[in-house]
Amino acid sequence: MTASPDPAEPAAPEPARPDPALRLLWRHVVAEDEQPRRGPRQRLSVDDVVDAAIAMADAEGLAGVSMRGLAQRLGLAPMSLYTYVPGRNELVALMVDQVLARRELPPLPDGLRARLETVARVHHAEALAHPWLLDVTGIRPWLGPGAADRYEWQLSAVEGVGLDDVEMDQTVALLVGFASSIAHAEHEKRRAERESGQSELAWWEANAEELGRVMSGREYPLAGRVGQAAGEAYQAASDPARELEFGLARIVDGVLALLATRS
Amino acid sequence: MTASPDPAEPAAPEPARPDPALRLLWRHVVAEDEQPRRGPRQRLSVDDVVDAAIAMADAEGLAGVSMRGLAQRLGLAPMSLYTYVPGRNELVALMVDQVLARRELPPLPDGLRARLETVARVHHAEALAHPWLLDVTGIRPWLGPGAADRYEWQLSAVEGVGLDDVEMDQTVALLVGFASSIAHAEHEKRRAERESGQSELAWWEANAEELGRVMSGREYPLAGRVGQAAGEAYQAASDPARELEFGLARIVDGVLALLATRS
DNA sequence: GCTTGCTCCGTACGCCGTACGGAATATTGT
DNA sequence: ACAATATTCCGTACGGCGTACGGAGCAAGC
């Protein structure tokens, strides 16, 4: 018994065949090494499928994008989708990259503060327009042209300001992560209102008595005081728009402070 | 036909009955208004159910907690779970609050910088220990004792440092949101490695050739340079632990800078 | 013209949350 | 003591999900 490869698998050294999802992601760039394919032409294009899926996700959330529902919307049988896309996960990756690719990236303003804010605000706006982006998991490490272009643009916002390469990456990650967390909070707030059919405030009123009864015997001096002040200021239990402004100001101040120590 | 209430529904003005999930969340606090209940005793307690669900979620993720699987683990028929808990969503809310309640909150150190860091690190550690916490959605606005105690503790870290009430709330939200986004990145990184069976680095190597082919014709000067520098520094495509340190330093600096303008 | 590879699709499997109703059981009201 | 009632536990069933598998028909390559 040598260590030779399994004879059932022919001698081909299996040069780590590339992930098929990668070709799909970059389909518009690689494009046309197309020799005509056998069999019936596809009635639709991958873009048709992805666009329909994005529209469904915008309307119904990521969980609302089912292979069955999507197929019906496209006039296909469910299993026919699998000739366009290997599976649902890959479809989601394509949706994400399509969204990233479509957005026209605004020119970066002058001034580091404004540039950093722009990076965060663009991401925040995108996550608000497509809340399902925040629910996406499991598409790492698939990297498409939309994500690549976006990263390049984000880095250009912090190029030449005095950060080293690693710090540039970390700064972008910090801004994007923060914008995501704000959008996440906003999305959760909206979901709560939508699903309960009543506003947050109404729920608190309806349950204030029970909450008071139940919390008696515990002391929440700070939470009571701060919660009330925040509630009055927000007219809600939270106000993600204000959290964005507050947090962004602090983060940008922090980055500027780092650079200030160097000049 | 007057506007009188539906006679099928007796005159009771329906005083907005409290959410049953609230009583369940606060079951240990309200506790014993217990008159003995009719029918067979419950074989288990709500805590048994919630603890088993937490154990399942720790091992298999939130999606791995199915009512069927949980019931089997507890020796019950699936539908019997619904005598303990109104539904899966409520169960998840109980799991979250149980986790929050269990963690012993460390004493807050001296010095604002260390206090702010502690708030973020506690949340980060918790999200790492229970990655499914980040997948929880739709449990707003249910508020349990664990969440209330936690909020009180977080506020105590920023009490009396010169922030007004609304700023206290926003500062805590900023720290917690940031810690969540770091933990989210870390969790995604681990998931990618687990599900692909190979390390991130191995995937990039296996697909480097295809990526190079596919990205030719596009220019990514910054992404190429920074990505390489970061990759070498991290020995991976990302390094959430470093992102935590970098981002936390910037955020704390930003908060301190805000306070510095006031003294 | 035969073979091959492709598209499209019907069926089926094993999951999911949970609505519904019935049998057994323990307390409550008489 | 006995009937009424409330509660637990559970079997069955419904409508959803992703997708494996195999077959039918079509277009290109030999």
Side-chain angles (χ1 to χ4, degrees):
Chain A
M1 291 298 185
T2 73
S4 69
D6 182 352
E9 192 105 346
E14 189 85 57
R17 275 179 303 139
D19 198 316
L22 218 43
R23 290 192 70 85
L24 222 34
L25 276 164
W26 292 84
R27 65 195 180 283
H28 295 129
V29 180
V30 179
E32 323 307 341
D33 54 342
E34 314 218 11
Q35 64 262 17
R37 289 199 286 179
R38 301 187 177 184
R41 293 263 165 73
Q42 284 191 311
R43 301 215 269 255
L44 273 36
S45 69
V46 173
D47 287 78
D48 292 332
V49 173
V50 174
D51 288 341
I54 290 173
M56 285 187 74
D58 287 344
E60 317 269 0
L62 195 58
V65 181
S66 70
M67 299 302 271
R68 286 172 163 85
L70 179 58
Q72 189 177 25
R73 182 188 184 109
L74 292 167
L76 290 178
M79 288 311 293
S80 300
L81 281 178
Y82 288 87
T83 61
Y84 293 85
V85 148
R88 191 178 183 274
N89 265 350
E90 288 82 355
L91 172 63
V92 172
L94 294 174
M95 293 165 63
V96 170
D97 207 73
Q98 191 95 282
V99 164
L100 291 179
R102 280 231 213 291
R103 182 172 224 89
E104 194 171 339
L105 296 174
L108 287 164
D110 288 339
L112 183 53
R113 161 159 259 119
R115 294 167 85 87
L116 296 178
E117 287 187 354
T118 300
V119 170
R121 289 188 202 278
V122 164
H123 192 81
H124 174 254
E126 198 141 53
L128 280 194
H130 305 289
W132 50 271
L133 284 173
L134 299 168
D135 299 331
V136 172
T137 59
I139 65 169
R140 250 170 90 133
W142 292 321
L143 170 68
D149 290 357
R150 179 63 57 96
Y151 184 48
E152 181 75 17
W153 175 82
Q154 288 163 339
L155 288 176
S156 75
V158 293
E159 164 75 345
V161 302
L163 297 169
D164 67 33
D165 287 349
V166 171
E167 288 168 339
M168 287 172 65
D169 180 73
Q170 290 173 327
T171 300
V172 167
L174 172 57
L175 292 167
V176 168
F178 167 69
S180 289
S181 82
I182 296 291
H184 186 79
E186 193 140 358
H187 185 38
E188 275 297 298
K189 180 180 173 180
R190 289 181 185 177
R191 181 211 306 269
E193 298 192 353
R194 181 168 13 95
E195 291 188 359
S196 76
Q198 53 190 344
S199 79
E200 260 189 314
L201 223 49
W203 187 93
W204 285 98
E205 280 168 17
N207 291 92
E209 189 189 355
E210 179 72 7
L211 257 177
R213 186 178 317 126
V214 105
M215 293 175 74
S216 72
R218 293 218 177 190
E219 290 294 319
Y220 295 106
L222 295 176
R225 189 193 81 208
V226 173
Q228 177 156 358
E232 284 171 9
Y234 304 156
Q235 285 302 301
S238 69
D239 187 339
R242 288 198 201 201
E243 286 173 26
L244 174 65
E245 298 309 321
F246 179 83
L248 192 48
R250 299 294 80 71
I251 289 173
V252 173
D253 283 350
V255 174
L256 294 180
L258 172 68
L259 293 174
T261 64
R262 294 182 180 170
S263 55
Chain B
M1 288 299 180
T2 73
S4 68
D6 181 355
E9 191 107 344
E14 190 84 58
R17 275 178 304 137
D19 198 317
L22 263 187
R23 291 192 69 84
L24 222 36
L25 276 165
W26 292 84
R27 65 196 181 282
H28 296 128
V29 180
V30 179
E32 323 307 342
D33 55 341
E34 314 216 14
Q35 64 262 15
R37 291 199 284 180
R38 301 185 177 186
R41 292 264 165 73
Q42 284 191 311
R43 301 214 268 256
L44 273 35
S45 69
V46 173
D47 286 79
D48 292 331
V49 172
V50 174
D51 288 342
I54 291 173
M56 284 186 75
D58 287 345
E60 317 271 358
L62 195 59
V65 181
S66 70
M67 300 301 272
R68 286 172 162 85
L70 180 58
Q72 189 177 24
R73 184 190 182 104
L74 292 167
L76 290 179
M79 288 311 292
S80 300
L81 281 179
Y82 288 86
T83 61
Y84 293 85
V85 148
R88 190 177 183 275
N89 266 350
E90 288 82 353
L91 171 63
V92 172
L94 295 175
M95 292 165 64
V96 171
D97 208 74
Q98 190 94 284
V99 164
L100 292 179
R102 281 230 213 291
R103 181 171 225 88
E104 193 171 341
L105 296 174
L108 287 163
D110 287 340
L112 182 53
R113 162 160 257 120
R115 294 167 86 88
L116 296 178
E117 289 186 355
T118 300
V119 170
R121 289 187 202 279
V122 164
H123 193 80
H124 174 254
E126 197 142 53
L128 279 194
H130 305 287
W132 51 271
L133 284 173
L134 299 169
D135 299 331
V136 171
T137 59
I139 66 168
R140 254 172 87 132
W142 291 322
L143 171 69
D149 290 358
R150 178 64 56 97
Y151 184 48
E152 181 76 17
W153 176 81
Q154 289 164 339
L155 289 175
S156 75
V158 292
E159 164 75 345
V161 301
L163 297 169
D164 67 33
D165 285 349
V166 171
E167 289 169 337
M168 287 172 66
D169 180 73
Q170 289 172 328
T171 300
V172 167
L174 172 58
L175 292 167
V176 168
F178 167 70
S180 290
S181 81
I182 296 290
H184 186 79
E186 192 140 357
H187 186 36
E188 276 296 297
K189 180 180 173 181
R190 289 180 185 177
R191 181 211 306 269
E193 299 192 352
R194 181 167 14 96
E195 291 188 358
S196 75
Q198 54 190 347
S199 79
E200 258 189 315
L201 223 49
W203 188 93
W204 285 99
E205 282 168 15
N207 292 91
E209 190 189 355
E210 179 71 7
L211 257 177
R213 187 177 316 128
V214 106
M215 293 175 74
S216 72
R218 293 217 175 191
E219 290 293 319
Y220 295 105
L222 294 176
R225 191 194 79 206
V226 172
Q228 177 158 358
E232 284 171 9
Y234 304 157
Q235 284 300 305
S238 70
D239 187 338
R242 288 198 202 201
E243 286 173 26
L244 174 65
E245 298 309 321
F246 179 83
L248 192 49
R250 301 292 81 71
I251 289 174
V252 173
D253 282 350
V255 174
L256 294 180
L258 172 68
L259 293 174
T261 66
R262 295 181 177 168
S263 56

